[in-house]
Amino acid sequence: MFSFLLHFFLGWVAGTALQLQQASLWLAEINLAACSASGFLLLVWFLCQHRLRLSVMSQCVLVLLLSTTFAFFSCAVRAQLFLEKQIAPQLEGQVLQVVGRVVAMPQQMQANIRFRFAVQSAHFASGESVELPPLVLLGWYVNTADATPSPADVQAGDIWKFSIKLKAPHGHINPHGFDYELWLWEQDLQATGYVRRGVHDAPPRLIARSWAHPIERLRQWVRQRIYAQVGEQAGVGVVLALLLGDQASIERADWDVFRATGVAHLMAISGLHITALAWLVARCVAWIWRRSDLWSQVSWCMGLPSQKAAMLAALVTAVGYSIFTGWAIPAQRTVWMLGAVLTLRMNGLKWPAYQVLLFAATVVLVADPWAFLQAGFWLSFMAVSILFVGSQSFQFLPALIREQFLMSVCMAPLSLLFFHQVSLVGFFANLVAVPWVTCVVTPLCMLGLLIPVAWSLAAWAVGVQGLCLGWMASLSWAQWSAPAAPLWLSVLSIAGMFVCAMPIAWLWRLSGALCIWPVLCWHVPRPLYGEFELIGADMGQGHAVLVRTAHHSLLYDTGPRYSPETDAGQRVLVPLLMVLGERLNRVIISHQDSDHSGGAHSVLKMQSQAQVLTSMPSDHLLRAMHPMQPCEAGQHWRWDGVLFSVMHPQKADYAEKNKPNAMSCVLRIQSASGVSALLVADIEAAQEKQLLESGVPLKSDWLLVPHHGSATSSTTGFLQAVSPSVAWVQAGYRNRFGHPRPEVMARYAAQGIQVFQSVWCGASIWQSHRPQQMRCARDEYRRYWHHLPPIESVYRSNKN
């Protein structure tokens, strides 16, 4: 029976993995029929397995095939049902009146909040009812000029009436980047939007307070108590993360330190914390149970043995604490493994460790198949697997050192696969942080539920730890990054680390360790000498284009600033540069507008060696953080046979009072074979005319559409002079400017120019040796949960 269960677990994991590779779902009828048939056959086998005249091997293969098929099609059926509830395109951007319930603890973003909202009813201002997805993600932004309720008044369980605008879940698709649309899908969120508080909008109105979501309400109450006790003391974010699973409360600077030192896994509820608490409760219950005859006439052990009572108490504690802290994947894995072990033990049974782990993985994937693609799933299960495999290895080392060696060294390939970097000080940092967080900080966080002053002590302990970790993170060699290797190489390196951890001959261990060498030496292919490549990042309403030659790299603009906490540099460009293994030689910040310079701080912090050209005024804040030179027409240089020429602004333009757009740095790039690209930022009609009159060569094969497709740019004369084969628009989905304007796109169509937009295309890749082709990340990484804008058909016709 163990063998059959093992093959069922393996089949379920395999079927889920295969289904998640689908670019589009098959017909609903096919999915439903195949799901029903495979599920029925699996049930028949379970009921009649003893009557089948098949060998054990044949039955194992049968179970594997049936469970794989059932997992594949059951996941597809669930996806089909979910897609049927997506927001109708005609409702996007419309002002709607909605009534619903806040179903989770709101997420604080300085004075603003985001929260999950279960829609109960919705209608237009005219009173006409509309159907919306059952669960949406809303943002509520503070406006101190009015007297409407502050976002701080929103509590889980409350029923509110809002005026809102919604749009379909739409994120940025970049090579090896974070899949925001998958995250929304996994959270059952089918639309995002914001609460409107304009003059003509009905003000938000609290309809009723409610404890309909008591756990979330309790979590929010505890968070408020922590802030009341600790205030804005450094370390409060870590206290919230360890006690409530609220990792969003940790400051960005702290996350940078934790990632550099390899202790980020400790800043969340881990299996170690849950198991330790369950063990403590079990010991206390067992002690009380065995002494129950001191205050009771009949010993409790007569009704239930103390060992079983302790096991039940441990399981209840683990489940309750995991739910209270947000039910993250590491918590789920711990609960299901603990539940399986305790249930088997109470019934006098025992499974091998690997089978318990596979059981937990199967249950997690049954509940949430899309968790398979989350880094947390793999990090959690692989970490436990490494500990199981390596528990008998390296016995000459003390337990703590052995475990940290396994976690820091053997988990390095997985860290490279998901994050493309590994901490070189992680082993030493974890030797300090693991016992400190586990034995000091986390117990103080829990004790604060009874004695609030313990939260202040926990925050102080986090600050002490931060001093040590901050020093380690400041070392120049603290972390090492590597470009993204092909998946098969990453899998090979992970398998090699498993072999290295196994208690086998040292020769085999050494062979396993060598399997990671190809990943460490991998380099992303670069253009040939004399050619260049353009990668247009997908980061919303802003410009950022990476130019790569055989041995050099240039970044043209750095994208927008999203909020005081984050920008396109931190979210998109730094990860993109990391996965490509790029070391920038030069950055051009075309002008000072925040949608072009917003990510500069994050980019230059990582790429401090880069030279910078810009038209920003000398008193701009960014110019104080990094040496910068003005970009002027006539500047030119040659890298690897590729010519770079600055064509605007003129030196005299700096003496005049021009708008920032008018000062945009214009760059033309030409390969050795004469293929060229023109990057023009936000120039407008006047600057286009100036370029035409200057007599500089404008003819190019690739054009960055001026000013995101604004009506102020892309004049007919300019397009005729440039005459590109391909044009690229970087603009946000449903941006408030209406970019690109339809009348502007009509001019491109009249000239026979193929226009690609980041909204439909995601990140784009264009290569000078293939000037007629444009590769789109949304095509190459297409999955069925990715949003297809209503104008997708226009993109397809342009592309073809």
Side-chain angles (χ1 to χ4, degrees):
M1 190 63 182
F2 286 165
S3 180
F4 296 153
L5 285 174
L6 174 63
H7 284 79
F8 175 82
F9 298 153
L10 287 173
W12 196 277
V13 173
T16 302
L18 289 172
Q19 199 280 330
L20 296 181
Q21 305 308 310
Q22 284 193 295
S24 59
L25 295 173
W26 294 340
L27 291 176
E29 294 80 4
I30 295 177
N31 290 328
L32 183 59
C35 178
S36 302
S38 57
F40 175 75
L41 291 175
L42 199 57
L43 179 62
V44 169
W45 172 86
F46 179 77
L47 297 175
C48 306
Q49 57 179 303
H50 299 295
R51 301 179 184 178
L52 296 177
R53 296 182 178 179
L54 296 174
S55 65
V56 174
M57 178 62 70
S58 299
Q59 291 199 52
C60 287
V61 172
L62 179 63
V63 170
L64 181 67
L65 293 176
L66 288 177
S67 60
T68 300
T69 305
F70 185 50
F72 182 97
F73 287 104
S74 62
C75 182
V77 169
R78 291 175 60 180
Q80 197 77 50
L81 294 174
F82 188 75
L83 283 174
E84 291 175 358
K85 300 176 183 178
Q86 61 187 342
I87 186 172
Q90 61 269 23
L91 296 180
E92 294 186 75
Q94 300 291 325
V95 178
L96 303 171
Q97 303 292 323
V98 297
V99 175
R101 190 185 301 275
V102 180
V103 299
M105 178 177 68
Q107 178 184 341
Q108 296 285 153
M109 301 180 298
Q110 293 188 338
N112 308 316
I113 62 170
R114 286 197 309 175
F115 54 94
R116 300 177 191 190
F117 191 71
V119 178
Q120 297 175 344
S121 64
H123 57 83
F124 291 116
S126 62
E128 179 186 356
S129 297
V130 296
E131 185 175 354
L132 293 179
L135 189 64
V136 300
L137 181 65
L138 294 180
W140 189 347
Y141 306 102
V142 173
N143 183 359
T144 56
D146 58 43
T148 52
S150 166
D153 296 333
V154 176
Q155 298 185 39
D158 290 351
I159 299 177
W160 283 82
K161 182 177 182 179
F162 294 126
S163 294
I164 64 172
K165 275 190 176 183
L166 294 176
K167 64 179 180 180
H170 189 92
H172 307 145
I173 305 296
N174 292 284
H176 304 282
F178 175 69
D179 193 340
Y180 180 62
E181 295 174 31
L182 172 62
W183 181 84
L184 291 172
W185 176 286
E186 190 184 6
Q187 303 298 315
D188 292 332
L189 297 165
Q190 292 179 292
T192 62
Y194 63 94
V195 176
R196 289 179 57 85
R197 305 177 67 180
V199 177
H200 303 293
D201 299 312
R205 181 164 63 91
L206 175 63
I207 295 178
R209 296 285 188 191
S210 168
W211 278 80
H213 294 274
I215 295 177
E216 291 296 325
R217 186 80 168 225
L218 179 61
R219 296 178 70 214
Q220 188 172 358
W221 178 79
V222 171
R223 184 176 68 181
Q224 292 170 348
R225 290 282 306 277
I226 293 174
Y227 275 122
Q229 173 66 37
V230 181
E232 298 300 324
Q233 181 179 344
V236 64
V238 175
V239 173
L240 291 169
L242 289 175
L243 186 60
L244 302 175
D246 186 12
Q247 293 179 293
S249 298
I250 299 179
E251 298 290 335
R252 173 179 163 184
D254 292 335
W255 274 124
D256 292 339
V257 171
F258 298 152
R259 292 190 184 101
T261 53
V263 301
H265 64 98
L266 292 174
M267 305 308 152
I269 304 302
S270 69
L272 177 62
H273 301 154
I274 296 170
T275 304
L277 180 61
W279 173 84
L280 179 62
V281 170
R283 292 296 297 269
C284 292
V285 168
W287 186 88
I288 295 172
W289 217 265
R290 286 192 294 268
R291 290 159 178 80
S292 59
D293 57 345
L294 298 178
W295 53 80
S296 176
Q297 294 181 352
V298 179
S299 174
W300 296 349
C301 296
M302 299 295 292
L304 182 67
S306 61
Q307 185 180 17
K308 290 189 176 181
M311 290 180 184
L312 289 174
L315 184 58
V316 170
T317 300
V319 172
Y321 184 50
S322 299
I323 294 175
F324 177 73
T325 56
W327 198 237
I329 289 178
Q332 294 179 46
R333 185 260 306 159
T334 304
V335 166
W336 295 120
M337 290 185 67
L338 190 61
V341 170
L342 295 181
T343 301
L344 291 168
R345 183 170 295 180
M346 285 192 290
N347 289 278
L349 301 174
K350 185 178 181 181
W351 280 358
Y354 67 85
Q355 191 154 330
V356 175
L357 189 65
L358 271 174
F359 165 77
T362 302
V363 175
V364 170
L365 293 179
V366 168
D368 179 13
W370 300 276
F372 186 85
L373 297 178
Q374 298 296 337
F377 176 88
W378 288 98
L379 292 173
S380 178
F381 282 95
M382 293 294 284
V384 177
S385 301
I386 287 287
L387 290 177
F388 283 165
V389 171
S391 59
Q392 301 301 317
S393 304
F394 310 102
Q395 290 292 326
F396 58 90
L397 296 175
L400 177 62
I401 296 179
R402 180 170 66 249
E403 291 177 4
Q404 293 315 312
F405 173 80
L406 291 171
M407 290 297 94
S408 301
V409 177
C410 295
M411 289 291 287
L414 205 62
S415 179
L416 290 175
L417 173 62
F418 285 108
F419 310 117
H420 313 291
Q421 63 182 12
V422 63
S423 174
L424 300 182
V425 299
F427 173 75
F428 306 101
N430 277 278
L431 282 179
V432 176
V434 167
W436 186 254
V437 172
T438 303
C439 301
V440 179
V441 180
T442 302
L444 286 173
C445 292
M446 296 179 183
L447 183 62
L449 294 171
L450 302 175
I451 308 174
V453 71
W455 287 328
S456 297
L457 295 177
W460 173 83
V462 171
V464 171
Q465 172 188 267
L467 295 176
C468 178
L469 296 180
W471 173 76
M472 290 186 179
S474 66
L475 299 174
S476 59
W477 50 273
Q479 59 182 337
W480 180 79
S481 60
L487 181 60
W488 69 271
L489 276 182
S490 298
V491 172
L492 176 65
S493 66
I494 294 170
M497 285 296 98
F498 265 98
V499 173
C500 182
M502 292 174 66
I504 56 178
W506 278 101
L507 181 61
W508 288 106
R509 290 190 194 182
L510 180 60
S511 300
L514 290 177
C515 290
I516 197 176
W517 186 253
V519 172
L520 301 179
C521 298
W522 174 260
H523 293 285
V524 177
R526 303 190 67 90
L528 299 176
Y529 185 88
E531 303 292 347
F532 66 96
E533 177 182 74
L534 303 179
I535 301 178
D538 182 15
M539 44 36 189
Q541 185 71 18
H543 278 169
V545 179
L546 177 64
V547 185
R548 304 172 72 230
T549 66
H551 302 290
H552 294 80
S553 300
L554 177 147
L555 182 64
Y556 183 86
D557 277 340
T558 60
R561 186 170 184 82
Y562 301 126
S563 69
E565 298 91 6
T566 187
D567 53 62
Q570 182 242 344
R571 283 191 184 179
V572 178
L573 297 178
V574 168
L576 179 63
L577 294 171
M578 191 178 298
V579 302
L580 294 174
E582 293 297 331
R583 181 177 172 83
L584 293 177
N585 301 95
R586 182 162 291 172
V587 175
I588 294 181
I589 305 175
S590 64
H591 60 296
Q592 64 180 327
D593 284 358
S594 63
D595 58 334
H596 297 254
S597 63
H601 176 77
S602 298
V603 171
L604 294 176
K605 182 180 178 181
M606 174 199 179
Q607 304 275 351
S608 58
Q609 78 289 339
Q611 300 176 356
V612 180
L613 293 179
T614 184
S615 66
M616 291 189 299
S618 58
D619 59 349
H620 196 280
L621 291 176
L622 282 174
R623 299 202 68 158
M625 65 163 288
H626 194 94
M628 299 184 184
Q629 300 296 323
C631 60
E632 298 175 0
Q635 292 172 330
H636 63 274
W637 62 94
R638 192 179 296 273
W639 286 342
D640 309 315
V642 178
L643 177 64
F644 294 76
S645 304
V646 177
M647 310 180 76
H648 185 80
Q650 300 292 329
K651 185 175 183 179
D653 292 335
Y654 286 95
E656 302 176 4
K657 291 186 177 181
N658 292 310
K659 295 191 305 180
N661 287 352
M663 296 298 293
S664 296
C665 301
V666 175
L667 179 69
R668 186 172 184 267
I669 310 169
Q670 182 172 317
S671 71
S673 60
V675 177
S676 59
L678 188 63
L679 296 86
V680 296
D682 282 355
I683 63 170
E684 299 180 349
Q687 290 74 52
E688 292 178 357
K689 181 180 179 182
Q690 185 179 350
L691 286 171
L692 289 171
E693 294 175 348
S694 68
V696 296
L698 294 176
K699 175 67 179 74
S700 299
D701 299 272
W702 185 96
L703 173 66
L704 179 63
V705 173
H707 202 183
H708 318 283
S710 167
T712 62
S713 308
S714 298
T715 58
T716 301
F718 181 75
L719 294 181
Q720 290 175 342
V722 178
S723 188
S725 302
V726 174
W728 169 242
V729 180
Q730 285 183 305
Y733 178 64
R734 300 196 64 85
N735 64 83
R736 61 191 178 95
F737 307 103
H739 295 160
R741 303 294 299 180
E743 62 271 24
V744 174
M745 292 296 95
R747 295 178 206 155
Y748 283 84
Q751 300 295 322
I753 302 170
Q754 294 186 81
V755 177
F756 292 79
Q757 298 186 31
S758 57
V759 167
W760 312 320
C761 184
S764 67
I765 301 177
W766 181 85
Q767 298 168 318
S768 60
H769 68 283
R770 297 174 180 170
Q772 304 297 325
Q773 298 181 19
M774 179 84 91
R775 291 164 49 200
C776 291
R778 280 193 177 269
D779 288 337
E780 297 184 1
Y781 299 97
R782 173 75 67 194
R783 295 295 182 269
Y784 57 81
W785 55 81
H786 287 157
H787 176 229
L788 293 174
I791 46 179
E792 178 76 2
S793 58
V794 178
Y795 158 63
R796 295 292 180 189
S797 62
N798 282 339
K799 182 179 178 182
N800 296 329

